[in-house]
Amino acid sequence: MTLYRATVLDTSGDLLAPARLVAEEDCGLLVRDGVVAARTGFATARAAHPAEEVVDLRDGILLPGFVDTHAHFPQVRVIGGLGMPLLDWLRECALPEEARLADPAYAHAVARDFLDGLVRAGTTTALVFGSHFPLAVDALFTQAQAVGLRITAGLVVSDRILREELLTTPEEAVVHGRALIGRWHGRGRLRYAVTPRFSLSASEPMLEACAELLAAGDDIWFTSHLNESTAEIAEVRRLFPGARDYLDTYDRHGLVTSRSVFAHDVHPTPAELTVLGAARAGVAHCPSSNSALGSGLFPLSAHHDAGVRVGLGSDVGAGTGFSMLKEGLHAYFVQQLLGDGGALLTAADLLHLATRSGAQALGLADRVGDLGAGKEFDAVRVRPHPGSTLDVALRHAKDATDALAKIFTLGTPADIDAVWVAGRPVPGPAPAAPDHSLTPLGAP
Ligand code: GUN
Ligand code: ZN
C-alpha cells in the first residue's frame, strides 16, 4: 500500500445541482492495488498506517484524472486546421489524414502521438473515435493497454459520402466489429464502442449493422455525432426524409440508450432532448471545436433540464488540443456568451465537467471521476513552473475555489507534472532529441 499526502480537490454531487467542491488541504489517500482504500486527514491516515510508504505531493494540487468523452485518435496530427466549417474541414483536413491510417506503421505512430497527448494533458479516461481501418484500431487498443489508460473505442464505419478508401459495407462492418470486440472488449480497462461516423455517412443498413454489433456483448457502448452544424443537419434531413429529426436516424435503430454518447448536439430540438433525457444518454460537449468550426453555442441548461448526461470532449482534431482545463474554460465562455440563456458555471462545475460528469456519461462513475474511497487512483498533480503566471496566481488564491478557477483559467498541459492510472505513475514520454531535420515554416 502507498499513502499519498496531498492537497486534494475533487467534486461530489451532480453538475449544476450544484456540483460541490471537496477540498482537503492535508489529505491522506491510502492506495491499495490501484484503488483508494481510505481517504482521511493525513495525520489520521499516518496514525493508522505508521509503516506504509508515504509519497508527499503537497507541492502542487492533486485532482482526479480528466475524462475526455470525445476525441478522434487519427486526427492528432491535423489539430489547428482553422478557418473552415464542419463539412469543408472534414473534406479538406480530417479525412485525407484519416485515409493515411490504412498504413499500419503510420497508424501505430499516430496512436502513440495521440495517447502521449492524452497523458501529457492529464486525461486518464477517454471515449475515443477510432479509425476506419481495423489494424489502426488494434494499434490504439494495444498501446492504450500498455499505458494503462481507460479507453472506450471502436472501428469507425461509413458506407457513403466519404472518400472511397474510408467506406465499408454493413456486412464487413459486422465482421470486423465482432473480431475487434472479441480481441479487446472488457480486456483490462478497455471497452468497445460501436461507432458510425455520423448518420450522414451511414445508410439504414449500416445503422442496422451497428444495432447488431451493439447487441453482440455486455456493456458495449455506442458513439456518433449529432446536431453539430446547421449545414450537416440540413443534409441529414434530406437523406432521411422519413426521420422525425437527426436523433431519430439513430433512435429508429435502437441506438439511443444509456450506453450512447453523442458528440456536439449544439442544435437540438426539444423533442430530441426529451428522447435523450428519457434514455439517460450522454452528450459530449466540445466547446473549443464548436468555436473553431463556428458550429454554435451549446445549450447546456436545456440538456441539464432534460436530464441528459453531459461530459466534456476535446474533439481532437477539430478541437484545439487535449487539455480538459482549456475545454472547461471554453465551456464557461460559451455559457457566458449565451447571456440569460446560459448556465453560470462555477469552478466546481468546471472540475465536475472535466472529471465526474464525464465518468457519469461513460457509466464509470463508480470507478473514476473523483478520489473518494473505493475509486481507482487515477490522478494528476498540477504543479506550475515556479514564477509562471499560474504559480503566482495560485500563491495568491483566496481559497480552494479561487485556486481551482485559476487552474482552469491559466492551466495548460505544461502544468501537469505527474499522472497516475490505477495507482501507477504513467511515465512521461522520453524527452525528444532535438530534431534538426524539422523545417520550420516549410523552409527547404
Ligand atoms: N462529424 C463527422 N465526423 C466528424 C469529425 O471527425 N469531427 C467532427 N467535429 N465532426 C464530425
Ligand atoms: Zn468528433
Side-chain angles (χ1 to χ4, degrees):
M1 289 196 290
T2 306
L3 183 53
Y4 292 92
R5 181 176 195 178
T7 297
V8 176
L9 301 183
D10 63 359
T11 58
S12 64
D14 287 321
L15 185 67
L16 297 171
R20 202 169 70 79
L21 179 63
V22 182
E24 285 179 83
E25 198 144 314
D26 194 7
C27 183
L29 293 169
L30 186 70
V31 175
R32 183 197 299 129
D33 298 330
V35 174
V36 179
R39 171 170 166 168
T40 59
F42 177 74
T44 307
R46 192 69 184 132
H49 302 278
E52 296 305 336
E53 178 205 4
V54 174
V55 177
D56 192 338
L57 301 173
R58 280 175 297 169
D59 185 11
I61 294 177
L62 199 70
L63 305 176
F66 299 127
V67 179
D68 186 342
T69 60
H70 185 69
H72 295 251
F73 108 76
Q75 297 175 5
V76 57
R77 296 183 179 187
V78 295
I79 293 171
L82 301 180
M84 288 165 272
L86 171 66
L87 298 178
D88 294 350
W89 176 83
L90 278 173
R91 193 180 52 252
E92 302 294 324
C93 202
L95 300 182
E97 174 69 1
E98 297 220 8
R100 290 186 194 110
L101 274 80
D103 172 359
Y106 189 81
H108 185 88
V110 169
R112 188 198 53 215
D113 290 347
F114 177 82
L115 294 168
D116 273 2
L118 288 181
V119 170
R120 285 169 186 267
T123 297
T124 52
T125 295
L127 175 58
V128 178
F129 246 69
S131 161
H132 289 267
F133 304 104
L135 287 178
V137 179
D138 280 325
L140 177 74
F141 277 133
T142 304
Q143 295 179 70
Q145 188 177 42
V147 180
L149 295 176
R150 187 176 275 288
I151 297 292
T152 307
L155 182 71
V156 181
V157 294
S158 292
D159 63 349
R160 63 182 180 190
I161 295 200
L162 309 184
R163 48 195 290 154
E164 188 65 31
E165 315 94 289
L166 301 180
L167 301 181
T168 185
T169 62
E171 295 73 29
E172 270 186 10
V174 170
V175 169
H176 289 307
R178 282 189 183 278
L180 284 162
I181 288 168
R183 281 203 288 284
W184 297 110
H185 182 61
R187 203 163 148 187
R189 306 178 103 208
L190 307 177
R191 299 185 303 186
Y192 195 80
V194 176
T195 312
R197 187 163 201 115
F198 49 174
S199 54
L200 191 62
S201 66
S203 67
E204 301 274 11
M206 182 58 93
L207 293 168
E208 206 41 51
C210 290
E212 184 183 333
L213 282 172
L214 197 54
D218 286 342
D219 199 31
I220 293 181
W221 279 67
F222 176 84
T223 192
S224 196
H225 293 93
L226 177 68
N227 288 322
E228 181 174 359
S229 84
T230 51
E232 168 214 23
I233 295 166
E235 275 302 287
V236 168
R237 195 171 296 137
R238 194 176 64 76
L239 287 175
F240 292 91
R244 190 192 57 210
D245 46 41
Y246 196 156
L247 185 66
D248 193 42
T249 63
Y250 302 113
D251 199 24
R252 292 197 284 179
H253 297 278
L255 300 173
V256 183
T257 77
S258 59
R259 284 177 286 114
S260 306
V261 176
F262 295 95
H264 302 283
D265 205 29
V266 179
H267 309 282
T269 64
E272 288 174 307
L273 289 170
T274 302
V275 173
L276 286 169
R280 302 294 291 148
V283 161
H285 172 30
C286 307
S288 83
S289 166
N290 294 341
S291 298
L293 297 175
S295 301
L297 302 174
F298 180 72
L300 177 59
S301 295
H303 283 80
H304 178 259
D305 294 348
V308 182
R309 299 192 289 199
V310 176
L312 270 189
S314 66
D315 197 24
V316 160
T320 61
F322 286 96
S323 174
M324 300 313 286
L325 298 175
K326 177 157 73 173
E327 293 304 329
L329 182 65
H330 273 251
Y332 172 82
F333 289 160
V334 167
Q335 296 310 307
Q336 290 292 91
L337 289 169
L338 281 167
D340 288 345
L344 183 58
L345 292 172
T346 64
D349 286 320
L350 300 188
L351 182 58
H352 197 289
L353 270 172
T355 56
R356 205 171 138 74
S357 296
Q360 289 172 333
L362 299 186
L364 294 170
D366 57 334
R367 297 178 199 188
V368 297
D370 63 74
L371 291 169
K375 302 290 163 60
E376 291 172 14
F377 187 70
D378 282 7
V380 302
R381 180 165 67 161
V382 177
R383 188 170 67 153
H385 195 73
S388 66
T389 307
L390 178 56
D391 181 50
V392 170
L394 285 178
R395 287 181 197 288
H396 294 89
K398 291 195 297 284
D399 54 24
T401 300
D402 193 31
L404 190 58
K406 287 166 166 33
I407 288 172
F408 272 94
T409 306
L410 291 162
T412 72
D415 302 306
I416 307 290
D417 98 314
V419 180
W420 292 262
V421 290
R424 275 196 313 121
V426 184
D435 181 354
H436 300 295
S437 70
L438 285 177
T439 52
L441 305 181

